[in-house]
Amino acid sequence: MLKKSISRRVLVTGGAGFVGSHLVDRLLAEGDEVLCVDNLYTGDKHNIYHLHNHPKFEFLRHDVTFPLYVEVDEIFNLACPASPIHYQRDPVQTTKTSVHGAINVLGLAKRLQCPVLQASTSEVYGDPEIHPQPEGYWGNVNPIGIRSCYDEGKRCAETLFFDYHRQHGTEIKVARIFNTYGPRMHPADGRVVSNFIVQALQGQDITVYGNGSQTRSFCFVDDLVDGLIRLMRSGPEVTGPINLGNPREFTILQLAQLVIAKTGSSSKIIHAELPGDDPKQRKPDISVAKSTLGWEPGIQIEDGLDKTIAYFRKIVLESAEPWAPPVHAAANIAS
Ligand code: NAD
Ligand code: UDP
Ligand code: UDP
């Protein structure tokens, strides 16, 4: 018998990716219907297999650079490769995904008069000269470097979000996400946490780019998803941009040592060439998220790493072939 649905219908673009698939799980657990749209460029069907028969879940293979006509009540726009190695593989497509993708989800939100959240990034601050980074900082971004397809694409997407808000009254939410890690990162993702864990679990050399003194601040994915949902449901007056991240800062060398200690690995650390424009330091100022959303991360890296290592241990054990985490093309390994 047909029943009238009373659930909220939520669109998650990039929903088969690392963050997106956790967001989809959380929304379904809260009773929402979810339409997951993804072209599977860096995402993986394994991340959503468990939802195959879920009555409130639907998957659509689609590239957000093309228009999308669906009926939903909320839009989370996460579609975009996030790992430098993958977003630099086809940089023109990366910019198109950010810019054309933003135009299409904004056109959709404008027609439906529904809120739309943009997964922006700490990369809009580039190689920051202010530390930690508050939302008011305009950044230090190279417009023509190897990271620009991502950084400038995301900056242009933010511009489009604020222009749709000013010009058409679209309800927008812009989250500036800092480095996030956790289960369901792809073993071949290429970002630092998955690379180091997969290398350590297999006894491979751990590839620290440069001397490892550059810093990042790592947020566990469950904390981030909580922040994204709070931002979406924060009322129309809250547009952001709002930093979401864990302010505890580590050097990359410290992270390598922590992963070795946590995995009990005999891997040794080797040094590889630092890729161009690699930010030297990064740490979010999250005072706006605290005061506006009542949000701050609750999961410390020690616990988050344990969960992530357990996830990769299973993947590595189940794999017939060893995984070879991709290292940056500019990486000219020298110890
Ligand atoms: P991910 O690569 O695991 O997920 C991105 C998803 O988008 C993938 O499933 C991919 O297939 C999909 N996608 C890419 N291009 C697409 C297109 N043109 N059309 C449809 N789908 C497309 O990365 P993630 O870490 O889950 O990141 C999710 C979002 O959060 C991205 O927008 C990213 O820029 C942003 N972000 C993530 C982090 C982080 O540390 N994880 C930090 C800052 C910003
Ligand atoms: N769009 C979409 N789905 C919709 C409405 C619009 O994909 O439900 C796309 C549409 O193809 C257009 C873009 O969003 O290219 C921007 O739409 P908008 O209405 O802002 O601009 P216009 O169509 O006037 O160029
Ligand atoms: N990095 C590293 N070894 C790796 C992968 C990354 O030393 O195998 C470094 C990288 O140079 C950067 C930091 O770790 O300084 C974070 O890189 P990631 O690709 O995870 O994300 P980013 O914050 O640079 O976008």
Side-chain angles (χ1 to χ4, degrees):
M1 190 171 74
L2 283 174
K3 273 196 193 148
K4 193 172 185 309
S5 165
I6 51 160
S7 333
R8 188 168 27 207
R9 215 168 128 66
V10 185
L11 167 62
V12 179
T13 75
F18 157 53
V19 175
S21 64
H22 286 278
L23 176 62
V24 167
D25 279 346
R26 268 285 296 278
L27 293 166
L28 289 169
E30 291 178 9
D32 294 330
E33 281 182 44
V34 176
L35 172 59
C36 168
V37 166
D38 202 299
N39 69 351
L40 301 178
Y41 181 60
T42 50
D44 197 315
K45 277 188 271 184
H46 287 100
N47 290 339
I48 48 171
Y49 264 164
H50 60 289
L51 302 173
H52 185 60
N53 284 321
H54 196 296
K56 292 189 170 184
F57 178 75
E58 206 178 341
F59 175 72
L60 176 65
R61 187 165 183 156
H62 171 83
D63 183 326
V64 295
T65 61
F66 296 98
L68 177 65
Y69 285 82
V70 291
E71 308 304 314
V72 292
D73 304 306
E74 276 177 356
I75 305 166
F76 287 88
N77 185 36
L78 272 63
C80 186
S83 165
I85 281 192
H86 295 298
Y87 71 61
Q88 288 166 21
R89 192 150 43 110
D90 187 350
V92 173
Q93 173 67 11
T94 299
T95 304
K96 282 186 187 171
T97 293
S98 280
V99 176
H100 293 190
I103 291 172
N104 287 327
V105 296
L106 285 161
L108 181 62
K110 181 181 124 190
R111 176 175 66 79
L112 299 173
Q113 299 192 336
C114 77
V116 54
L117 180 146
Q118 168 67 359
S120 190
T121 168
S122 51
E123 282 287 318
V124 300
Y125 302 122
D127 189 7
E129 293 147 315
I130 290 183
H131 195 70
Q133 294 79 53
E135 289 85 349
Y137 177 48
W138 290 357
N140 176 37
V141 177
N142 177 358
I144 57 168
I146 56 172
R147 295 176 87 98
S148 312
C149 58
Y150 184 76
D151 299 11
E152 297 289 21
K154 291 282 189 180
R155 284 168 68 98
C156 183
E158 286 201 10
T159 307
L160 285 160
F161 267 69
F162 277 86
D163 281 333
Y164 267 76
H165 177 63
R166 283 184 286 257
Q167 199 173 328
H168 301 300
T170 308
E171 189 182 334
I172 60 154
K173 310 278 180 184
V174 175
R176 289 189 180 151
I177 302 169
F178 283 64
N179 296 66
T180 300
Y181 70 99
R184 295 193 196 151
M185 293 187 90
H186 198 283
D189 179 275
R191 279 176 282 184
V192 69
V193 175
S194 53
N195 266 17
F196 285 2
I197 294 177
V198 174
Q199 289 166 338
L201 289 175
Q202 300 181 116
Q204 298 166 347
D205 290 344
I206 296 198
T207 53
V208 169
Y209 300 163
N211 63 12
S213 63
Q214 69 273 31
T215 70
R216 295 293 186 273
S217 308
F218 298 98
C219 183
F220 189 64
V221 65
D222 291 359
D223 279 332
L224 173 68
V225 165
D226 183 47
L228 292 174
I229 292 177
R230 279 180 195 235
L231 176 56
M232 176 60 96
R233 313 265 156 92
S234 57
E237 66 291 350
V238 181
T239 58
I242 294 193
N243 289 340
L244 294 177
N246 189 321
R248 208 168 139 204
E249 186 182 6
F250 290 84
T251 67
I252 294 306
L253 198 55
Q254 283 173 324
L255 177 73
Q257 287 156 348
L258 186 58
V259 168
I260 289 175
K262 285 252 166 217
T263 50
S265 172
S266 57
S267 291
K268 64 178 199 313
I269 293 173
I270 59 165
H271 291 273
E273 197 179 313
L274 189 67
D277 293 337
D278 198 285
K280 287 184 267 312
Q281 53 179 3
R282 182 183 289 160
K283 167 181 168 157
D285 177 336
I286 58 164
S287 34
V288 176
K290 279 187 189 166
S291 61
T292 312
L293 308 176
W295 178 87
E296 64 182 311
I299 299 161
Q300 291 304 324
I301 196 153
E302 288 76 10
D303 300 328
L305 275 184
D306 284 344
K307 291 180 209 259
T308 313
I309 289 167
Y311 172 80
F312 280 116
R313 205 182 283 282
K314 196 160 171 286
I315 290 200
V316 164
L317 277 176
E318 282 171 1
S319 172
E321 300 285 325
W323 284 95
V327 293
H328 200 275
N332 188 3
I333 312 253
S335 42

